[in-house]
Amino acid sequence: MPVAAAALGGVDWERARFRFVPSMTLLPVTTNAAALWQALAAGAAPPPAAALTQPATVLFWRRGFHPSFRSAERAEAEALQQLLAGTCFGALCDALAAVEGAEQGATIAGSWLGGWLRDGLIAEIF
């Protein structure tokens, strides 16, 4: 069961660790299969199948009984891998700030967190 917004008030974000929903999977891809699937799911004409110039990552999970997926940018996929390995959110934010600057790093981390919560990917914050 994903984390509810009401549970976020007392979180110590510096030390917070995440447990993601069991169905979440990151899959490396070398084709535009995600774009094909998204077009078909939307009832649109799919683009021609093509190899990607650089490998990408597709994020898969279930919302209840419905399968969901989306492309994840390389930095987000790397962040998810770090969090899956036990890195705390504060350390992830510090690393982003070192690369992107404090303000931009906080914006990126906040955007990712908001997306993960919206998508129902986080099962527990501890």
Side-chain angles (χ1 to χ4, degrees), residues 41-114:
L52 299 174
T53 56
Q54 294 185 19
T57 302
V58 176
L59 176 60
F60 294 92
W61 73 100
R62 275 192 341 250
R63 289 184 192 206
F65 293 108
H66 302 285
S68 299
F69 69 93
R70 67 172 173 81
S71 297
E73 294 180 10
R74 176 176 287 197
E76 180 188 15
E78 290 173 0
L80 285 167
Q81 291 288 4
Q82 290 174 20
L83 294 170
L84 284 164
T87 299
C88 65
F89 190 66
L92 178 71
C93 292
D94 290 345
L96 273 171
V99 173
E100 302 288 344
E103 187 173 323
Q104 184 65 16
T107 299
I108 292 168
S111 175
W112 288 341
L113 178 61

Side-chain angles (χ1 to χ4, degrees), residues 11-18 83 86-91 125-126:
V11 173
D12 176 357
W13 293 106
E14 188 64 30
R15 292 186 171 89
R17 296 186 194 290
F18 300 152
L83 294 170
T87 299
C88 65
F89 190 66
I125 302 174
F126 56 97

